Amino acid sequence: VAVPKADGNTNPIIHKATVSAPTNIACIKYWGKADSHYNTPINDSLSLTLDQSDLRAVTSASASLAFDKDRLWLNGSEEVGAASSRRFRACVDGVRALATEKIDPDTKEVIVSKDDWKKMHVYIASYNTFPTAAGLASSAAGYAALVAALVELFGAKESYPGEFTAIARQGSGSACRSLYGGFVAWRAGGEKSDWSDSIAEQVADEAHWGEVRAVICVVSDAKKETSSTAGMSTSVATSELLAFRAKEVVSKRMKIIEEAIKAKDFEAFGKVTMMDSNQFHATCLDTYPPIFYMNDVSRSIVQLVHRYNDWAGEIRAAYTFDAGPNAVLYTLDKHVIELLALVLKYYPCESEDLMGDYVNNKDMVSKALAFELDSGLLQALEKSCSIRDIGDVKMVYCTKGGPGPQVLDASSEVFEFKVE
């Protein structure tokens, strides 16, 4: 990016910070806004923050008096006009309002005062390492990375616990949950008129239940037909089931799942996760006109998981689907190879030579290919599950829980500034 010289002669001072942020996959779903201005939900939700090795957003935020306006680049292309969007402004202005003085660590001199930050424009560049807008919570990672990078850039300090999550929530609702690692609840709030109580809280960090694994089946990497924002507003306006869910069902499920996480009870965790996914998609079907996020491949995965659990006599895998056809299958470390072997059998790759592109984890692939599925299991599946066509599942990610945003060093910067 070209930057003019500060006074026509000297190089401008550019303050920079780069951060990576994770995506999260909800177990108790957020669907429906209580207040569209503050971007608050009609019910609590809970998710697992995923490890950033494969799925993350990386954002560089920079500020300088040499910049003549705020600008934003996503995945290498400038988003013209994006810097004036309400969501972007809520994040930039919200974090800048909490900025602190930047102090030279050696001389202890003030390099940038709070007032100086207000005079500077920002350049933001971000990229995702996974399909954007395909139902893999890319906006959650993107806005969490934006807020975390701005916090680092401005040295921002919260005026109350969870304030940064309240800012991220105004960018993308589920982004508030990506600011913490492990299992995270988003409390709906609503007691306070400014919705400052609609914040995320960590239920358990990523080390608490480290045995939990996620196998993600990317059924479609295309942009979905009905965006989450559009779908939600139609559901709130037309689905009586959604209103009943928010009022009567979610609080009970939050209690069950939080207790299950604390007790590391996969049976209870898996059951409530699947039931809540099913109910979320039922509210989409109850919307008028109905919204279809899951497709035939998605439904075949649901069937496979239930038959597998029936054979095992316990819940070994639990599916959840966000606003898209992709399946996230939660399991425990002791069952993940068996589950992956099952996925590879019923959703085959074109050839073993291409397996490295099909599954992100080579070590797990070789173990899964060598794993012999129980003949009784295969017999039980034969009756109701069939091997799908090549390409029905585009890619498989094997991952686990992970930490919140990470500050990266200068070598990870998304920008390269060229002074002209």
Side-chain angles (χ1 to χ4, degrees), residues 22-51:
T23 186
N24 68 76
I25 303 292
C27 305
I28 304 295
K29 303 296 188 188
Y30 151 52
W31 194 250
K33 298 182 197 298
D35 186 304
S36 57
H37 176 75
Y38 288 102
N39 210 28
T40 53
I42 59 173
N43 59 263
D44 289 6
S45 56
L46 183 141
S47 59
L48 176 63
T49 296
L50 297 183
D51 183 72

mmCIF file of all heavy atoms in Angstrom, residues 22-51:
data_model
loop_
_atom_site.group_PDB
_atom_site.id
_atom_site.type_symbol
_atom_site.label_atom_id
_atom_site.label_comp_id
_atom_site.label_asym_id
_atom_site.label_seq_id
_atom_site.Cartn_x
_atom_site.Cartn_y
_atom_site.Cartn_z
ATOM 1 N N PRO A 22 -9.721 -16.850 16.207
ATOM 2 C CA PRO A 22 -10.323 -18.123 15.828
ATOM 3 C C PRO A 22 -11.779 -17.981 15.409
ATOM 4 O O PRO A 22 -12.435 -16.979 15.688
ATOM 5 C CB PRO A 22 -10.243 -18.919 17.132
ATOM 6 C CG PRO A 22 -10.395 -17.862 18.204
ATOM 7 C CD PRO A 22 -9.754 -16.616 17.659
ATOM 8 N N THR A 23 -12.278 -19.016 14.785
ATOM 9 C CA THR A 23 -13.716 -19.137 14.592
ATOM 10 C C THR A 23 -14.276 -19.891 15.797
ATOM 11 O O THR A 23 -13.528 -20.403 16.637
ATOM 12 C CB THR A 23 -14.047 -19.861 13.275
ATOM 13 O OG1 THR A 23 -15.445 -19.813 13.075
ATOM 14 C CG2 THR A 23 -13.588 -21.308 13.284
ATOM 15 N N ASN A 24 -15.586 -19.915 15.906
ATOM 16 C CA ASN A 24 -16.213 -20.710 16.959
ATOM 17 C C ASN A 24 -17.439 -21.398 16.370
ATOM 18 O O ASN A 24 -18.020 -20.909 15.406
ATOM 19 C CB ASN A 24 -16.581 -19.845 18.166
ATOM 20 C CG ASN A 24 -17.707 -18.862 17.866
ATOM 21 O OD1 ASN A 24 -18.878 -19.227 17.788
ATOM 22 N ND2 ASN A 24 -17.363 -17.581 17.680
ATOM 23 N N ILE A 25 -17.772 -22.542 16.913
ATOM 24 C CA ILE A 25 -18.948 -23.269 16.434
ATOM 25 C C ILE A 25 -19.934 -23.390 17.587
ATOM 26 O O ILE A 25 -19.604 -23.949 18.640
ATOM 27 C CB ILE A 25 -18.570 -24.676 15.904
ATOM 28 C CG1 ILE A 25 -17.523 -24.573 14.776
ATOM 29 C CG2 ILE A 25 -19.816 -25.413 15.434
ATOM 30 C CD1 ILE A 25 -18.003 -23.939 13.483
ATOM 31 N N ALA A 26 -21.142 -22.865 17.368
ATOM 32 C CA ALA A 26 -22.139 -22.834 18.433
ATOM 33 C C ALA A 26 -22.732 -24.218 18.683
ATOM 34 O O ALA A 26 -23.032 -24.957 17.748
ATOM 35 C CB ALA A 26 -23.248 -21.848 18.087
ATOM 36 N N CYS A 27 -22.907 -24.535 19.964
ATOM 37 C CA CYS A 27 -23.616 -25.747 20.385
ATOM 38 C C CYS A 27 -25.057 -25.369 20.746
ATOM 39 O O CYS A 27 -25.990 -26.103 20.455
ATOM 40 C CB CYS A 27 -22.928 -26.362 21.596
ATOM 41 S SG CYS A 27 -21.189 -26.710 21.331
ATOM 42 N N ILE A 28 -25.220 -24.231 21.407
ATOM 43 C CA ILE A 28 -26.547 -23.635 21.623
ATOM 44 C C ILE A 28 -26.593 -22.421 20.708
ATOM 45 O O ILE A 28 -25.746 -21.531 20.818
ATOM 46 C CB ILE A 28 -26.767 -23.220 23.094
ATOM 47 C CG1 ILE A 28 -26.562 -24.418 24.031
ATOM 48 C CG2 ILE A 28 -28.167 -22.601 23.278
ATOM 49 C CD1 ILE A 28 -27.558 -25.553 23.872
ATOM 50 N N LYS A 29 -27.548 -22.409 19.800
ATOM 51 C CA LYS A 29 -27.502 -21.467 18.673
ATOM 52 C C LYS A 29 -28.030 -20.060 18.985
ATOM 53 O O LYS A 29 -28.980 -19.912 19.757
ATOM 54 C CB LYS A 29 -28.321 -22.018 17.490
ATOM 55 C CG LYS A 29 -27.881 -23.396 17.005
ATOM 56 C CD LYS A 29 -26.480 -23.397 16.457
ATOM 57 C CE LYS A 29 -26.132 -24.729 15.814
ATOM 58 N NZ LYS A 29 -24.721 -24.813 15.449
ATOM 59 N N TYR A 30 -27.386 -19.084 18.355
ATOM 60 C CA TYR A 30 -27.878 -17.706 18.308
ATOM 61 C C TYR A 30 -28.644 -17.558 17.004
ATOM 62 O O TYR A 30 -28.096 -17.764 15.927
ATOM 63 C CB TYR A 30 -26.687 -16.751 18.371
ATOM 64 C CG TYR A 30 -26.862 -15.401 17.688
ATOM 65 C CD1 TYR A 30 -27.956 -14.587 17.974
ATOM 66 C CD2 TYR A 30 -25.906 -14.941 16.778
ATOM 67 C CE1 TYR A 30 -28.101 -13.344 17.341
ATOM 68 C CE2 TYR A 30 -26.043 -13.708 16.148
ATOM 69 C CZ TYR A 30 -27.138 -12.918 16.435
ATOM 70 O OH TYR A 30 -27.272 -11.697 15.813
ATOM 71 N N TRP A 31 -29.924 -17.233 17.104
ATOM 72 C CA TRP A 31 -30.717 -16.985 15.891
ATOM 73 C C TRP A 31 -31.818 -15.997 16.253
ATOM 74 O O TRP A 31 -32.747 -16.335 16.978
ATOM 75 C CB TRP A 31 -31.307 -18.282 15.330
ATOM 76 C CG TRP A 31 -31.841 -18.128 13.922
ATOM 77 C CD1 TRP A 31 -33.154 -18.151 13.520
ATOM 78 C CD2 TRP A 31 -31.070 -17.944 12.729
ATOM 79 N NE1 TRP A 31 -33.240 -17.977 12.159
ATOM 80 C CE2 TRP A 31 -31.972 -17.847 11.645
ATOM 81 C CE3 TRP A 31 -29.696 -17.834 12.477
ATOM 82 C CZ2 TRP A 31 -31.556 -17.666 10.328
ATOM 83 C CZ3 TRP A 31 -29.285 -17.650 11.166
ATOM 84 C CH2 TRP A 31 -30.197 -17.568 10.104
ATOM 85 N N GLY A 32 -31.689 -14.791 15.787
ATOM 86 C CA GLY A 32 -32.708 -13.773 16.051
ATOM 87 C C GLY A 32 -32.159 -12.622 16.864
ATOM 88 O O GLY A 32 -31.541 -12.817 17.912
ATOM 89 N N LYS A 33 -32.364 -11.415 16.362
ATOM 90 C CA LYS A 33 -31.880 -10.210 17.052
ATOM 91 C C LYS A 33 -32.995 -9.601 17.907
ATOM 92 O O LYS A 33 -34.135 -9.498 17.479
ATOM 93 C CB LYS A 33 -31.410 -9.166 16.044
ATOM 94 C CG LYS A 33 -30.232 -9.630 15.181
ATOM 95 C CD LYS A 33 -29.790 -8.523 14.237
ATOM 96 C CE LYS A 33 -28.928 -9.044 13.103
ATOM 97 N NZ LYS A 33 -27.686 -9.647 13.512
ATOM 98 N N ALA A 34 -32.621 -9.189 19.117
ATOM 99 C CA ALA A 34 -33.557 -8.461 19.979
ATOM 100 C C ALA A 34 -33.539 -6.982 19.608
ATOM 101 O O ALA A 34 -34.559 -6.311 19.640
ATOM 102 C CB ALA A 34 -33.158 -8.639 21.448
ATOM 103 N N ASP A 35 -32.343 -6.481 19.258
ATOM 104 C CA ASP A 35 -32.185 -5.073 18.893
ATOM 105 C C ASP A 35 -31.181 -5.005 17.746
ATOM 106 O O ASP A 35 -30.005 -5.304 17.932
ATOM 107 C CB ASP A 35 -31.691 -4.265 20.100
ATOM 108 C CG ASP A 35 -31.646 -2.764 19.838
ATOM 109 O OD1 ASP A 35 -30.977 -2.354 18.861
ATOM 110 O OD2 ASP A 35 -32.274 -2.003 20.607
ATOM 111 N N SER A 36 -31.658 -4.615 16.565
ATOM 112 C CA SER A 36 -30.764 -4.648 15.400
ATOM 113 C C SER A 36 -29.712 -3.538 15.461
ATOM 114 O O SER A 36 -28.619 -3.687 14.924
ATOM 115 C CB SER A 36 -31.563 -4.557 14.099
ATOM 116 O OG SER A 36 -32.347 -3.395 14.092
ATOM 117 N N HIS A 37 -30.005 -2.419 16.141
ATOM 118 C CA HIS A 37 -29.008 -1.345 16.241
ATOM 119 C C HIS A 37 -27.800 -1.809 17.066
ATOM 120 O O HIS A 37 -26.661 -1.603 16.673
ATOM 121 C CB HIS A 37 -29.629 -0.088 16.859
ATOM 122 C CG HIS A 37 -28.630 1.010 17.063
ATOM 123 N ND1 HIS A 37 -28.148 1.770 16.008
ATOM 124 C CD2 HIS A 37 -27.981 1.455 18.183
ATOM 125 C CE1 HIS A 37 -27.258 2.640 16.486
ATOM 126 N NE2 HIS A 37 -27.137 2.461 17.791
ATOM 127 N N TYR A 38 -28.067 -2.430 18.214
ATOM 128 C CA TYR A 38 -26.975 -2.894 19.080
ATOM 129 C C TYR A 38 -26.518 -4.314 18.717
ATOM 130 O O TYR A 38 -25.568 -4.824 19.294
ATOM 131 C CB TYR A 38 -27.408 -2.860 20.549
ATOM 132 C CG TYR A 38 -27.520 -1.451 21.111
ATOM 133 C CD1 TYR A 38 -28.758 -0.837 21.276
ATOM 134 C CD2 TYR A 38 -26.381 -0.738 21.470
ATOM 135 C CE1 TYR A 38 -28.860 0.445 21.792
ATOM 136 C CE2 TYR A 38 -26.471 0.552 21.990
ATOM 137 C CZ TYR A 38 -27.714 1.138 22.150
ATOM 138 O OH TYR A 38 -27.802 2.415 22.655
ATOM 139 N N ASN A 39 -27.221 -4.946 17.782
ATOM 140 C CA ASN A 39 -26.891 -6.305 17.346
ATOM 141 C C ASN A 39 -26.891 -7.290 18.521
ATOM 142 O O ASN A 39 -25.915 -7.998 18.763
ATOM 143 C CB ASN A 39 -25.541 -6.339 16.615
ATOM 144 C CG ASN A 39 -25.491 -7.444 15.574
ATOM 145 O OD1 ASN A 39 -26.520 -7.839 15.033
ATOM 146 N ND2 ASN A 39 -24.312 -7.953 15.291
ATOM 147 N N THR A 40 -27.995 -7.306 19.246
ATOM 148 C CA THR A 40 -28.116 -8.178 20.425
ATOM 149 C C THR A 40 -29.089 -9.321 20.140
ATOM 150 O O THR A 40 -29.976 -9.198 19.300
ATOM 151 C CB THR A 40 -28.600 -7.368 21.642
ATOM 152 O OG1 THR A 40 -29.800 -6.677 21.276
ATOM 153 C CG2 THR A 40 -27.540 -6.367 22.074
ATOM 154 N N PRO A 41 -28.943 -10.441 20.863
ATOM 155 C CA PRO A 41 -29.719 -11.641 20.542
ATOM 156 C C PRO A 41 -30.990 -11.789 21.383
ATOM 157 O O PRO A 41 -31.095 -11.216 22.469
ATOM 158 C CB PRO A 41 -28.735 -12.752 20.892
ATOM 159 C CG PRO A 41 -27.991 -12.204 22.080
ATOM 160 C CD PRO A 41 -27.919 -10.711 21.897
ATOM 161 N N ILE A 42 -31.919 -12.610 20.879
ATOM 162 C CA ILE A 42 -33.130 -12.875 21.653
ATOM 163 C C ILE A 42 -32.903 -13.983 22.688
ATOM 164 O O ILE A 42 -33.751 -14.211 23.528
ATOM 165 C CB ILE A 42 -34.336 -13.244 20.732
ATOM 166 C CG1 ILE A 42 -34.031 -14.483 19.868
ATOM 167 C CG2 ILE A 42 -34.745 -12.067 19.871
ATOM 168 C CD1 ILE A 42 -35.236 -14.998 19.073
ATOM 169 N N ASN A 43 -31.746 -14.664 22.615
ATOM 170 C CA ASN A 43 -31.458 -15.702 23.613
ATOM 171 C C ASN A 43 -29.953 -15.866 23.811
ATOM 172 O O ASN A 43 -29.149 -15.432 22.984
ATOM 173 C CB ASN A 43 -32.072 -17.047 23.208
ATOM 174 C CG ASN A 43 -31.577 -17.582 21.877
ATOM 175 O OD1 ASN A 43 -32.220 -17.399 20.851
ATOM 176 N ND2 ASN A 43 -30.424 -18.241 21.870
ATOM 177 N N ASP A 44 -29.588 -16.467 24.928
ATOM 178 C CA ASP A 44 -28.188 -16.815 25.199
ATOM 179 C C ASP A 44 -27.726 -17.857 24.179
ATOM 180 O O ASP A 44 -28.538 -18.561 23.581
ATOM 181 C CB ASP A 44 -28.045 -17.442 26.594
ATOM 182 C CG ASP A 44 -28.246 -16.441 27.723
ATOM 183 O OD1 ASP A 44 -28.605 -15.283 27.449
ATOM 184 O OD2 ASP A 44 -28.058 -16.837 28.898
ATOM 185 N N SER A 45 -26.409 -17.980 24.017
ATOM 186 C CA SER A 45 -25.846 -19.026 23.157
ATOM 187 C C SER A 45 -24.519 -19.488 23.754
ATOM 188 O O SER A 45 -23.984 -18.848 24.665
ATOM 189 C CB SER A 45 -25.649 -18.507 21.725
ATOM 190 O OG SER A 45 -24.833 -17.344 21.723
ATOM 191 N N LEU A 46 -23.997 -20.602 23.227
ATOM 192 C CA LEU A 46 -22.724 -21.135 23.742
ATOM 193 C C LEU A 46 -21.986 -21.842 22.626
ATOM 194 O O LEU A 46 -22.591 -22.529 21.801
ATOM 195 C CB LEU A 46 -23.000 -22.109 24.897
ATOM 196 C CG LEU A 46 -21.762 -22.684 25.592
ATOM 197 C CD1 LEU A 46 -21.986 -22.789 27.101
ATOM 198 C CD2 LEU A 46 -21.387 -24.057 25.026
ATOM 199 N N SER A 47 -20.674 -21.653 22.588
ATOM 200 C CA SER A 47 -19.875 -22.235 21.500
ATOM 201 C C SER A 47 -18.540 -22.753 22.004
ATOM 202 O O SER A 47 -18.124 -22.471 23.129
ATOM 203 C CB SER A 47 -19.621 -21.166 20.426
ATOM 204 O OG SER A 47 -18.930 -20.064 20.998
ATOM 205 N N LEU A 48 -17.880 -23.509 21.129
ATOM 206 C CA LEU A 48 -16.491 -23.910 21.358
ATOM 207 C C LEU A 48 -15.627 -23.125 20.378
ATOM 208 O O LEU A 48 -15.875 -23.132 19.171
ATOM 209 C CB LEU A 48 -16.300 -25.412 21.138
ATOM 210 C CG LEU A 48 -14.851 -25.926 21.252
ATOM 211 C CD1 LEU A 48 -14.292 -25.712 22.659
ATOM 212 C CD2 LEU A 48 -14.761 -27.409 20.880
ATOM 213 N N THR A 49 -14.625 -22.452 20.912
ATOM 214 C CA THR A 49 -13.642 -21.750 20.086
ATOM 215 C C THR A 49 -12.683 -22.799 19.518
ATOM 216 O O THR A 49 -12.160 -23.627 20.258
ATOM 217 C CB THR A 49 -12.867 -20.727 20.945
ATOM 218 O OG1 THR A 49 -13.791 -19.739 21.401
ATOM 219 C CG2 THR A 49 -11.747 -20.061 20.165
ATOM 220 N N LEU A 50 -12.456 -22.746 18.202
ATOM 221 C CA LEU A 50 -11.634 -23.772 17.559
ATOM 222 C C LEU A 50 -10.162 -23.359 17.464
ATOM 223 O O LEU A 50 -9.829 -22.178 17.401
ATOM 224 C CB LEU A 50 -12.173 -24.091 16.163
ATOM 225 C CG LEU A 50 -13.581 -24.696 16.111
ATOM 226 C CD1 LEU A 50 -13.955 -25.041 14.678
ATOM 227 C CD2 LEU A 50 -13.693 -25.949 16.990
ATOM 228 N N ASP A 51 -9.312 -24.368 17.439
ATOM 229 C CA ASP A 51 -7.872 -24.183 17.299
ATOM 230 C C ASP A 51 -7.558 -23.392 16.025
ATOM 231 O O ASP A 51 -8.228 -23.555 15.002
ATOM 232 C CB ASP A 51 -7.219 -25.564 17.229
ATOM 233 C CG ASP A 51 -5.724 -25.488 17.151
ATOM 234 O OD1 ASP A 51 -5.091 -25.144 18.157
ATOM 235 O OD2 ASP A 51 -5.180 -25.761 16.060
#
